[in-house]
Amino acid sequence: MYKFSALIVMFLFSVTLFANVVNEFNDPSAYSRAMGGAIYAFWSGAQSIAYNPAGLTNENEEVFFSHVEHFLGVVRNEFLSGSFEIGNLYVGGAAQYTYPVDEFRYDQYKITGTGAYKVGNSSFGINLNTWAGSDIQNGFSMDLGTIMKYDDFNFAFVVKNLFSSITWSSTPIDSQNYDPEFIISGAYFNPRFILSSYANISSGEIGIGADLPLNPLFSILGGYRITLAQEISKEVSVGMKISYYNFDLDIAYVFKESLQFGDTISPFYVSITYNFLGGK
Amino acid sequence: MRREILLILCFLFLVTIFSFATQFGTVTANPQYLLPGNVVKIVVSLNSTNDVKNVLLNIFYDEATHTLYNPTVHGKNYVWNYTTPRTPYDFHIQSESTFNSTSSERFSNVATFSTDIPAASVNSTIVYVPFIENATKTWEIDAKNIGSKPLRFTAFSSPSGLSILPGNGFIQPQNVEKFKLSNSGFLLPGHLYVLDAFLNTNDPRKGMDRYLLSSIIEGPDGLVVTPVSISHSRVSVGSDVKFGFSVFHHNVIIDYIYAFWNKPNGSKTFILSTTKDLVSSIIRTNSVGTYRLSRIIIGYTYKGTRKELTLNPNLQVKAVSSQKTMDLSLSNEALDVGISINSSSTPDVHALDGTLRKKISMIEEGTRWVGTYSYNNTPGPVTIYATFDDVNYEISKTFERFMVNGEAYIHFDNGWVSIPVKTFEAPTMISIFSEPLSESSYYYKGYSNFNRVSNAVTLASTSEMLASATYHLQFNVSMVNGLLDNLRVYELRGKDWKLSNSTPTVDDNVVSFSAKKGTYALGLIPQISVFSNPDIKSFIIVPRKTVNSKNIQFFLSVDKDCYYHLMIYDMRGRIVASQKGEALRKVANLLYTLNPVGYSNGMYIAVIGVGPSSGELTGSFSKSFAIVR
């Protein structure tokens, strides 16, 4: 069975790796970044909109905000999202703004509307995305995701940027279509720790992460991620999670290509979540 | 006036009818057309002179009637010499005969003559031009209408070879038209040419319908240059463009021929051969922009006097930047040239080998098209050129073949090769190809750690060299930036550029070194100290935002020679391009040229790291840029 699964994964990698995916900032959460990006199988509430829309069904109503200093602050990313529940139906929305700060005029916006539904131990979600920006006329895509719980394990399957098309303000105006991204993820939950992993088969991203709660208020986080392209990019990440009343504060620091560059291009993440329901 | 004319015409009509019935003689006027004031000879020939008492002549014109008496009699002919009035008229004449035996008169027919005509007057000239040359000569000739009606004309040259303006039209009475004559034919020195310019007119006077404007006699001495031709007018930068023309002369000695090109970043003067009728050379388009063949000056001696012929062809070649490249590699074992073209579309490739033009079959290998051409074993240039369906320019590369038999000095685009005596056992043809190294050819030819400052030159021959040749390569002084001690010779071995064992000698902007056949270029070798950490002075990305798939170049300035590692990340943090190498302590090392084709639109980050060793980067810098295709 394992051999068969491995063969399937290898096949998927071989046919979809280095596909023409949207060049966007796709990992805005500090919690995710500290976990090597592996939160696709989590019901993470409002921040799940950037990962797996099915993760919206966490029985909370939240507002989430993150700020990222990417590549030593050359590029910044702001992400704001929110969610609320209507029975088993969850509705959310997100706005993302990516921009450089090195005297280069370029920016990119992404607006997302989300719906998710929980049935027993499974949930399903859908994102509808639109793009805008200094060089983008318009754009559209759809994300589909699911999370299934089995004992202490969660499994997730996500298809991102389905039917994606972006019209760029080039001359002549050029509408470009992109390949969908197929993401598989799994997580193991234990009272003393959480382990998770994910693979974006289309863009060549593979990450693992661990969440070690030291007490109800404080967790330490760690992760490792590689991205496969012309060269392999390696990232070691550390972080912490502080939960206080209705607030969650996550901070992540990533050592990116640290063996070559030290910490000179390492990203810094901070994100905060406010839960209106106080957690259930 | 009009009414009176009508009355006269009616009268004449009736008289004519009557006279036909009773016509006794025939009246004629000669000439029928003449100028006012000229004399017309009027002759009445009678059927019989028996019983004729007297003959008189009635002349009708305008509203007047004039009668002439006392003709001169010659047998049956009665003759009057009539001087026409100074005012132009149409004249009608009829004779009237009286008899001794009867009181009735007999009339002749009615004849006409006219002084109301168009009439040309031309002072024809003969021009003798003993020396034929390109400079266009013009001559002016006046023609006047001395008549009283508009003169219609058509001008022509016999044989063709003269341009005459105006070519046709009208000259109003008493007006003058100025005719401009110029050479329009191509006259070869060594012959004598007679070119006549004529006017065909409607001048009715006998034999006066064609006028000679001018007779131009040219030759046989002279110096003539054919129109200059260029092989291409729009090319990819780096292409070779052939230009040429023929020089014909007779009784002159050619001293020198110069061709002046204006380039985007300066000018270039070609000193061309004076020993051949067909003069040609090749200009290499090293920069994007317009190349203009502005002047050709031919110095010559004619009858002991030194003179110059200056031509201004004003021919232009547009060199455009291109994603497409062509590389030639000369084989050392056979008369073969390998062609490698980087193009997303199918190239149509031809070889111009002397006067032969041959199509070359190309095979697609990944993103490149490769082919081979076996060239002829005859001296002269071979041009390989490619055209494409999807762009409006061509790529052209040329190499030269020389027959070497003993000592030889062979010049090429950026230097020359000295070949000593006994280099070859027997007369041998060698091929030389000088090429500017494009970024893509670096990668294709295994570029690494090689800061080139000159074009590459390839010397190939099918026989072994028994002695080394001396190569003299010019280098780009601005790129060396004073680092003369860093100049080295690099050699292409297989598909990699390697440091050559040859020791270079620097003299002004030329480096000399001894080597046998092969491919060589000059480069700067870094002198990196492991004890000193470099600082990044500047890291420049041009352009920061690329549209229409234009290349992006990355330049680095550092305070000392060092190693560098460039990585380009997309927004997901993936390394989508990278380059390692050595940077020199000079301004703007070109580290990398990114072809955006194949990359998704959006923002990217270029991260440059520098250090005193390849494994230790002690400083780094990041900069964003965008691709919007």
Side-chain angles (χ1 to χ4, degrees):
Chain A
M1 181 63 186
Y2 287 116
K3 284 182 181 175
F4 181 70
S5 302
L7 281 174
I8 288 176
V9 170
M10 286 174 66
F11 170 75
L12 287 173
F13 264 95
S14 64
V15 296
T16 61
L17 193 58
F18 311 135
N20 176 33
V21 297
V22 178
N23 179 21
E24 63 172 349
F25 191 81
N26 66 339
D27 194 4
S29 160
Y31 180 69
S32 164
R33 209 69 176 95
M35 297 280 286
I39 67 165
Y40 287 87
F42 292 176
W43 282 294
S44 300
Q47 62 187 303
S48 291
I49 294 174
Y51 301 88
N52 182 353
L56 204 66
T57 61
N58 68 342
E59 300 179 0
N60 285 326
E61 294 185 348
E62 298 175 344
V63 171
F64 171 84
F65 173 75
S66 79
H67 171 78
V68 180
E69 296 279 338
H70 208 15
F71 295 100
L72 206 65
V74 171
V75 174
R76 287 178 181 165
N77 190 80
E78 319 294 349
F79 184 88
L80 177 67
S81 61
S83 66
F84 64 92
E85 63 173 317
I86 310 166
N88 286 340
L89 178 66
Y90 291 75
V91 178
Q96 177 169 275
Y97 175 43
T98 311
Y99 58 103
V101 290
D102 57 349
E103 300 173 345
F104 176 47
R105 298 175 67 84
Y106 180 89
D107 52 33
Q108 196 167 307
Y109 304 89
K110 184 179 182 183
I111 308 294
T112 302
T114 307
Y117 192 76
K118 189 165 188 176
V119 184
N121 288 334
S122 301
S123 60
F124 307 90
I126 180 171
N127 283 341
L128 298 177
N129 307 305
T130 61
W131 278 282
S134 57
D135 291 271
I136 296 175
Q137 298 263 330
N138 54 66
F140 172 81
S141 77
M142 177 191 294
D143 306 332
L144 299 174
T146 180
I147 299 174
M148 292 164 285
K149 181 174 174 56
Y150 182 76
D151 287 340
D152 295 330
F153 291 91
N154 274 15
F155 299 98
F157 182 68
V158 183
V159 182
K160 294 187 78 172
N161 291 326
L162 195 61
F163 313 121
S164 57
S165 172
I166 299 177
T167 302
W168 295 86
S169 307
S170 51
T171 306
I173 290 173
D174 187 12
S175 180
Q176 296 192 350
N177 299 316
Y178 297 87
D179 297 330
E181 300 167 48
F182 298 97
I183 301 163
I184 53 175
S185 181
Y188 172 70
F189 295 89
N190 185 287
R192 288 177 293 177
F193 61 89
I194 302 170
L195 292 177
S196 63
S197 65
Y198 89 104
N200 185 328
I201 297 166
S202 305
S203 68
E205 301 166 35
I206 303 167
I208 57 173
D211 179 345
L212 304 174
L214 300 181
N215 57 53
L217 295 178
F218 187 76
S219 298
I220 58 172
L221 313 168
Y224 183 72
R225 189 175 83 148
I226 61 171
T227 53
L228 309 173
Q230 191 188 47
E231 287 186 23
I232 298 175
S233 177
K234 307 177 193 74
E235 298 164 350
V236 176
S237 52
V238 293
M240 63 181 181
K241 182 184 183 72
I242 301 169
S243 299
Y244 186 71
Y245 289 102
N246 290 9
F247 287 95
D248 284 343
L249 175 67
D250 299 288
I251 296 171
Y253 191 79
V254 181
F255 296 94
K256 187 174 181 65
E257 260 67 81
S258 55
L259 293 180
Q260 286 110 324
F261 293 105
D263 60 352
T264 55
I265 59 170
S266 297
F268 173 74
Y269 286 61
V270 59
S271 57
I272 188 166
T273 307
Y274 180 77
N275 182 357
F276 292 99
L277 303 182
K280 288 185 180 177
Chain B
M1 174 76 177
R2 184 174 292 176
R3 184 164 162 245
E4 288 157 350
I5 291 172
L6 286 172
L7 285 171
I8 289 170
L9 289 174
C10 288
F11 167 75
L12 289 171
F13 179 72
L14 292 171
V15 167
T16 302
I17 292 174
F18 178 75
S19 67
F20 268 110
T22 61
Q23 187 172 309
F24 183 67
T26 304
V27 62
T28 58
N30 187 35
Q32 242 186 314
Y33 300 99
L34 66 164
L35 292 173
N38 287 2
V39 176
V40 59
K41 185 177 182 180
I42 301 168
V43 178
V44 175
S45 298
L46 296 183
N47 297 340
S48 168
T49 57
N50 292 337
D51 199 33
V52 173
K53 180 182 176 184
N54 198 9
V55 178
L56 56 87
L57 184 74
N58 293 315
I59 301 176
F60 310 98
Y61 60 93
D62 199 19
E63 73 273 24
T65 304
H66 188 64
T67 303
L68 300 182
Y69 302 93
N70 303 320
T72 305
V73 181
H74 300 282
K76 293 181 182 177
N77 295 335
Y78 293 73
V79 179
W80 291 267
N81 286 318
Y82 173 63
T83 301
T84 56
R86 290 288 173 187
T87 306
Y89 294 113
D90 289 324
F91 298 89
H92 299 267
I93 51 175
Q94 187 176 41
S95 67
E96 180 181 341
S97 304
T98 55
F99 302 92
N100 295 316
S101 58
T102 174
S103 60
S104 62
E105 298 88 16
R106 300 285 295 274
F107 294 92
S108 71
N109 65 310
V110 176
T112 60
F113 64 94
S114 176
T115 59
D116 189 13
I117 59 169
S121 173
V122 179
N123 289 323
S124 302
T125 58
I126 296 176
V127 179
Y128 178 46
V129 185
F131 194 86
I132 303 170
E133 61 179 328
N134 282 76
T136 303
K137 287 186 169 63
T138 58
W139 301 273
E140 288 188 348
I141 306 294
D142 289 346
K144 183 177 181 182
N145 181 0
I146 55 174
S148 52
K149 287 190 171 174
L151 180 75
R152 188 174 65 244
F153 66 87
T154 304
F156 68 97
S157 160
S158 176
S160 60
L162 289 174
S163 167
I164 307 168
L165 291 173
N168 54 62
F170 288 92
I171 306 174
Q172 294 304 320
Q174 301 307 312
N175 281 7
V176 175
E177 181 71 57
K178 199 175 284 294
F179 288 89
K180 284 188 178 176
L181 279 58
S182 57
N183 271 325
S184 62
F186 189 82
L187 307 180
L188 278 178
H191 301 84
L192 194 68
Y193 301 87
V194 179
L195 305 174
D196 292 331
F198 288 105
L199 278 187
N200 271 348
T201 71
N202 62 338
D203 188 336
R205 294 176 296 169
K206 188 176 181 182
M208 304 289 268
D209 57 337
R210 175 173 293 187
Y211 287 87
L212 177 69
L213 284 173
S214 185
S215 183
I216 296 168
I217 304 163
E218 297 193 59
D221 296 345
L223 169 64
V224 166
V225 180
T226 57
V228 184
S229 65
I230 53 175
S231 58
H232 307 90
S233 59
R234 190 174 174 85
V235 296
S236 160
V237 67
S239 289
D240 301 323
V241 176
K242 185 178 179 181
F243 66 97
F245 49 89
S246 293
V247 178
F248 299 101
H249 55 92
H250 184 259
N251 269 350
V252 300
I253 300 165
I254 305 294
D255 299 322
Y256 53 84
I257 303 175
Y258 299 144
F260 299 90
W261 280 86
N262 294 335
K263 304 197 301 179
N265 49 4
S267 61
K268 180 161 185 170
T269 303
F270 287 81
I271 302 171
L272 302 169
S273 169
T274 59
T275 59
K276 299 173 185 172
D277 286 346
L278 180 60
V279 181
S280 67
S281 191
I282 289 163
I283 185 166
R284 172 154 295 155
T285 56
N286 288 327
S287 306
V288 171
T290 300
Y291 289 72
R292 189 166 61 87
L293 178 55
S294 56
R295 268 189 310 156
I296 293 171
I297 297 179
I298 301 175
Y300 62 96
T301 303
Y302 179 55
K303 292 182 176 176
T305 306
R306 285 177 172 270
K307 296 185 174 183
E308 279 189 345
L309 172 65
T310 301
L311 305 171
N312 300 295
N314 260 333
L315 294 173
Q316 291 191 350
V317 178
K318 192 89 175 172
V320 299
S321 63
S322 165
Q323 306 294 330
K324 303 176 190 296
T325 58
M326 177 197 285
D327 289 302
L328 302 185
S329 50
L330 299 178
S331 167
N332 259 324
E333 283 72 39
L335 299 175
D336 288 340
V337 55
I339 302 135
S340 172
I341 294 175
N342 182 16
S343 171
S344 55
S345 61
T346 307
D348 189 18
V349 185
H350 288 85
L352 196 59
D353 189 346
T355 55
L356 292 175
R357 182 175 177 271
K358 288 186 179 176
K359 185 175 175 63
I360 302 172
S361 299
M362 304 297 285
I363 301 168
E364 189 172 11
E365 287 186 359
T367 60
R368 306 192 75 86
W369 298 81
V370 295
T372 303
Y373 173 65
S374 299
Y375 51 91
N376 294 329
N377 190 20
T378 52
V382 177
T383 298
I384 309 291
Y385 65 94
T387 56
F388 308 88
D389 288 337
D390 57 339
V391 295
N392 61 347
Y393 57 79
E394 301 174 34
I395 302 179
S396 163
K397 301 276 186 185
T398 300
F399 64 91
E400 294 274 356
R401 297 164 295 186
F402 302 89
M403 189 58 71
V404 175
N405 183 14
E407 193 175 27
Y409 296 89
I410 296 171
H411 289 261
F412 47 88
D413 186 46
N414 66 316
W416 70 98
V417 178
S418 310
I419 297 177
V421 184
K422 295 181 181 174
T423 300
F424 297 102
E425 279 186 335
T428 301
M429 200 187 72
I430 66 165
S431 303
I432 288 192
F433 176 49
S434 165
E435 63 172 332
L437 289 173
S438 65
E439 292 297 315
S440 67
S441 65
Y442 295 163
Y443 304 132
Y444 172 62
K445 291 181 175 174
Y447 162 74
S448 63
N449 304 335
F450 173 44
N451 297 282
R452 90 293 183 208
V453 292
S454 77
N455 286 358
V457 61
T458 301
L459 190 155
S461 71
T462 52
S463 60
E464 283 304 310
M465 293 176 75
L466 303 177
S468 291
T470 305
Y471 290 75
H472 307 270
L473 291 185
Q474 294 171 333
F475 59 85
N476 188 329
V477 178
S478 64
M479 290 179 74
V480 172
N481 201 26
L483 304 176
L484 298 178
D485 292 341
N486 296 46
L487 274 169
R488 295 290 185 276
V489 180
Y490 287 82
E491 181 182 0
L492 187 64
R493 293 183 200 150
K495 292 199 167 186
D496 276 317
W497 285 97
K498 301 288 186 186
L499 194 62
S500 168
N501 296 326
S502 300
T503 306
T505 306
V506 183
D507 183 14
D508 201 6
N509 68 333
V510 175
V511 165
S512 303
F513 59 94
S514 294
K516 292 190 175 178
K517 57 190 179 183
T519 301
Y520 304 95
L522 300 178
L524 292 172
I525 188 167
Q527 295 178 342
I528 302 171
S529 167
V530 294
F531 303 109
S532 150
N533 292 341
D535 283 333
I536 295 172
K537 294 296 182 188
S538 68
F539 178 52
I540 298 169
I541 303 174
V542 181
R544 289 293 288 275
K545 183 192 296 181
T546 184
V547 293
N548 293 334
S549 300
K550 287 184 179 171
N551 284 351
I552 303 173
Q553 293 189 309
F554 301 81
F555 297 92
L556 173 70
S557 295
V558 285
D559 67 339
K560 50 182 73 73
D561 295 357
C562 64
Y563 292 91
Y564 74 86
H565 192 171
L566 173 71
M567 287 186 178
I568 297 170
Y569 291 91
D570 66 7
M571 278 293 92
R572 295 166 179 263
R574 303 186 301 170
I575 302 169
V576 294
S578 69
Q579 176 77 16
K580 285 181 180 177
E582 296 160 8
L584 287 151
R585 175 179 53 85
K586 67 185 184 73
V587 174
N589 292 273
L590 174 59
L591 304 185
Y592 187 62
T593 300
L594 178 75
N595 180 347
V597 173
Y599 291 89
S600 291
N601 282 2
M603 189 160 51
Y604 292 81
I605 304 293
V607 179
I608 180 68
V610 295
S613 70
S614 58
E616 181 189 6
L617 301 178
T618 55
S620 67
F621 190 76
S622 307
K623 213 163 195 177
S624 60
F625 66 96
I627 294 173
V628 183
R629 281 185 286 114

